[in-house]
């Protein structure tokens, strides 16, 4: 008995796309060739998405997996295998799409709720398998539905809560589901609509005023806010203007608030009733007519010298009879100066500040705009000095000056002069700084400064400041007499000079060895210095240089010179005579030795 698998194929009836709820069959067929006609047992196995869904044994070459009612969960990739007498055949994979989803079932935990409560909904797709997406909708008349999306990875139902808001009288809910298929997303029908009736826990509050209209400053105005409550539990009434809470009550149906009306009381008032998460508001605009305008404070002068007379006067346009007071403003609070329309004082510097006046009619008090009064003490004669302390500056370096007045009410304006030329104006409290960056060789004085403020005494001028310009040392050179070679025991004069530089100049003479050796230093009010070195020795042979500096603090170093200390001429003669005498004695000894040997 010989057989072989030609092919194994899988197909679906009626088609690869099946409508949800319709029957469908998955057929696995084995095409087998045999050498003789004999019975062969076939083990059929059908898989969906890699999982076993059907298995049978038959002597026929076909096996049918019947699904009487197809569901969307039957969508997937199908394939089959056939095993016979140890041989195994595999089919290709086919994709079967069960189009459409079953209609979901929606339930609500309550049919009647109060505003501010929560409705819990459950949407279930009994015939579907996760993952799924659920969409819940809250539907109100004349408004767009509010929708919530909830993905579910492991169950075919979902639950969600909806808040019931103010004005939700009759609310309907529904839901639908979605699942992902190979071609995209597929949606179910919408569920049944569930109706929920909403009741008000309290009505919108009523806000009235007494009197209702024609309110004038000084009138007693009363606000009355009330509501009707179903349950007197945790209810609160809040009364406010703009964002400011004026009054509030708990567990009561009404609130009252009264005050003496002022123009500042004009505006929008709000009565808010809150219970749990429910809040209802009523607004009311109130207009308060002006009883009298704000007073005006006038001053005889706003800027004046100390010890001068100042007159302050308070007035109301169209009114003469009022309770007036004049006040000085302070950081620690208002200071009452006088209960009167007018105030006359002789001022001091301490009287500088802001002043207002108040006027009262029928219990209404209004305040004027502030008036700034400035009292000035005269400036003292300023002093001008160099910031660094010393009245001198290095040529080419900037010069920083400070002008200072000990006395005088700020602000003070300082003016700097270089000669008769104005260089800078600075307004400050007690001092000002000037930087002169253009220092020339002939700038040796002529600086002064002025100081003035708003006092009538005018300008005060400092003494003239003379500043010395220090010229830095330049081009130092070193020479010697004699130059180059010096005899042992003789004297040598070293001359260090500079081309320019302000006096005094410090000169230093060095000999260069393994380290710098200072031999001599001197301060001269000259552009040169001479150093006499007595009795030169052979060890004085070497390289010499000098360094020059002044108050500019710039060291200038000369080029080095080399000095060789040699023997004197008479020293050389003595040495020559000694050598010749020695040579003559040696010659005589040699002649005596030769003659004595010859005689023998």
């Amino acid at each position: 008995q010989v057989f072989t698998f030609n092919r194994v194929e899988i197909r679906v009836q009626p088609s690869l796309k099946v409508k949800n709820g319709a029957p469908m069959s998955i057929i696995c067929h084995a095409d087998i060739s045999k050498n003789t006609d004999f019975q062969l047992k076939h083990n059929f196995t059908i898989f969906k998405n890699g999982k076993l869904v059907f298995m049978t044994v038959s002597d026929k070459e076909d096996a049918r997996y019947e699904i009487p009612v197809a569901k969307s969960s039957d969508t997937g990739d199908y394939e089959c295998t056939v095993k016979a007498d140890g041989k195994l055949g595999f089919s290709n994979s086919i994709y079967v799409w069960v189009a459409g989803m079953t209609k979901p079932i929606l339930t609500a935990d309550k049919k009647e709720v109060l505003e501010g409560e929560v409705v819990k909904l459950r949407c279930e797709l009994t015939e579907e398998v996760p993952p799924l997406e659920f969409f819940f909708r809250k539907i109100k008349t004349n408004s767009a539905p509010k929708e919530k999306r909830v993905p579910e990875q492991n169950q075919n139902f979902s639950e969600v809560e909806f808040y019931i808001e103010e004005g939700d009288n009759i609310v309907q809910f529904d839901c639908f589901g979605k699942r992902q298929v190979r071609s995209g997303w597929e949606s179910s029908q919408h569920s049944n609509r569930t109706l929920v009736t909403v009741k008000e826990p309290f009505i919108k509050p009523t806000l009235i005023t007494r009197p209702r209209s024609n309110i004038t400053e000084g009138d007693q105005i009363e606000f009355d806010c009330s509501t009707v409550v179903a349950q007197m539990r945790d209810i609160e009434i809040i009364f406010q203007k703009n964002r400011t809470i004026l009054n509030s009550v708990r567990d009561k149906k009404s609130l009252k608030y009264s005050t003496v009306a002022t123009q500042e009381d004009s505006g929008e008032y709000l009565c808010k009733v809150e219970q749990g998460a429910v809040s209802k508001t009523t607004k009311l605009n109130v207009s308060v007519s002006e009883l009298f305008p704000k007073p005006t404070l006038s001053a005889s002068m706003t800027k004046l010298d100390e010890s001068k007379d100042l007159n302050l006067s308070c007035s109301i346009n169209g009114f003469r009879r009022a309770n007036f007071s004049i006040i000085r403003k302070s950081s620690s609070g208002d200071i009452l100066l006088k209960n009167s329309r007018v105030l006359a004082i002789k001022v001091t510097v301490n009287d500088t500040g802001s002043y207002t006046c108040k006027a009262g009619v029928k219990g209404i008090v209004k305040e004027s705009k502030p008036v700034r009064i400035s009292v000035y003490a005269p400036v003292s004669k300023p002093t001008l000095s160099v910031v660094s302390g010393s009245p001198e500056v290095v040529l080419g370096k900037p010069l920083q000056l400070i002008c200072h007045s000990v006395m005088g009410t700020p602000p003070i304006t300082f003016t700097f002069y270089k000669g008769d030329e104005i260089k800078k104006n600075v307004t400050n409290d007690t001092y000002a700084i000037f930087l002169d960056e253009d220092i020339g060789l002939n700038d040796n004085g002529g600086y002064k400064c002025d100081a003035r403020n708003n006092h009538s005494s005018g300008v005060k001028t400092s003494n003239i400041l003379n500043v010395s310009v220090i010229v830095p040392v330049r081009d130092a050179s070193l020479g010697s007499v004699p130059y180059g070679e010096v005899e042992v025991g003789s004297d040598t004069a070293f001359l260090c000079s500079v081309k320019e530089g302000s006096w005094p100049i410090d000169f230093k003479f060095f000999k260069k060895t393994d380290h710098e050796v200072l031999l001599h230093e001197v301060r001269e009010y000259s552009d040169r210095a001479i150093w006499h070195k007595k009795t030169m020795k052979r060890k004085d042979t070497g390289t010499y240089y000098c360094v020059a500096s002044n108050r500019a603090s710039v060291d200038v170093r000369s080029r080095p010179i080399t000095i060789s200390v040699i023997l004197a001429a008479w020293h050389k003669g003595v040495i020559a005579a000694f050598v010749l005498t020695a040579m003559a004695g040696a010659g005589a000894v040699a002649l005596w030795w030769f003659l004595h040997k010859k005689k023998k």
Side-chain angles (χ1 to χ4, degrees), residues 462-494:
S462 70
N463 295 330
I464 293 176
L465 176 67
N466 294 313
V467 178
S468 301
V469 179
I470 306 300
V471 180
V473 171
R474 186 169 66 86
D475 296 342
S477 62
L478 179 66
S480 67
V481 178
Y483 183 79
E485 291 185 347
V486 179
E487 291 183 349
V488 173
S490 65
D491 297 342
T492 302
F494 291 91

Side-chain angles (χ1 to χ4, degrees), residues 11 38 51 78 108 154 170 208 544-545 566 577:
R11 63 183 186 274
F38 58 88
K51 294 183 179 180
Y78 288 84
N154 304 309
I170 297 177
I208 61 172
Y544 293 80
Y545 67 91
I566 60 176

Side-chain angles (χ1 to χ4, degrees), residues 223-407:
F223 295 86
D224 190 342
C225 179
S226 60
T227 185
V228 177
V229 184
Q231 293 180 348
M232 187 63 71
R233 175 174 51 84
D234 296 332
I235 194 160
E236 185 176 17
I237 303 176
I238 299 171
F239 181 64
Q240 62 189 90
K241 181 176 186 281
N242 299 326
R243 298 176 63 88
T244 303
I245 295 175
L246 303 176
N247 197 9
S248 67
V249 295
R250 279 184 173 273
D251 296 330
K252 291 184 179 180
K253 296 180 182 180
S254 64
L255 171 149
K256 294 185 185 299
Y257 175 78
S258 64
T259 184
V260 176
T262 66
Q263 239 195 335
E264 285 74 20
D265 293 324
S266 295
E268 185 180 75
Y269 289 83
L270 182 144
C271 178
K272 183 186 290 185
V273 180
E274 295 179 342
Q275 188 177 43
V278 183
S279 175
K280 296 185 180 184
T281 300
T282 297
K283 295 179 181 178
L284 178 66
N285 275 304
V286 173
S287 178
V288 179
S289 301
E290 186 178 62
L291 178 63
F292 64 95
K294 285 186 176 182
T296 301
L297 180 66
S298 56
S300 57
M301 297 178 70
T302 57
K303 294 181 179 180
L304 64 165
D305 296 348
E306 61 180 353
S307 301
K308 295 288 185 179
D309 292 327
L310 171 66
N311 296 312
L312 298 174
S313 176
C314 187
S315 62
I316 303 175
N317 187 20
F319 271 75
R320 295 290 297 176
R321 301 189 64 177
N323 296 320
F324 293 98
S325 58
I326 297 178
I327 293 163
R328 180 181 173 188
K329 293 292 185 180
S330 169
S331 58
S332 58
D334 293 349
I335 301 172
L336 176 63
L337 300 179
K338 190 175 183 182
N339 286 317
S340 174
R341 287 184 62 254
V342 295
L343 174 67
I345 57 173
K346 194 176 289 292
V347 294
T348 66
V349 174
N350 294 330
D351 292 321
T352 296
S354 291
Y355 293 78
T356 66
C357 74
K358 291 182 179 181
V361 178
K362 289 177 62 177
I364 301 299
V365 178
K366 295 187 178 182
E367 188 172 6
S368 70
K369 289 184 178 179
V371 175
R372 179 73 184 178
I373 303 296
S374 298
V375 182
Y376 293 93
V379 294
S380 59
K381 180 179 179 179
T383 57
L384 182 64
S385 59
V386 180
V387 172
S388 62
S390 177
E392 59 186 24
V393 61
V394 177
L395 181 67
K397 299 290 185 180
L399 173 65
Q400 196 172 36
L401 302 174
I402 183 170
C403 185
H404 178 243
S405 281
V406 177
M407 303 293 292

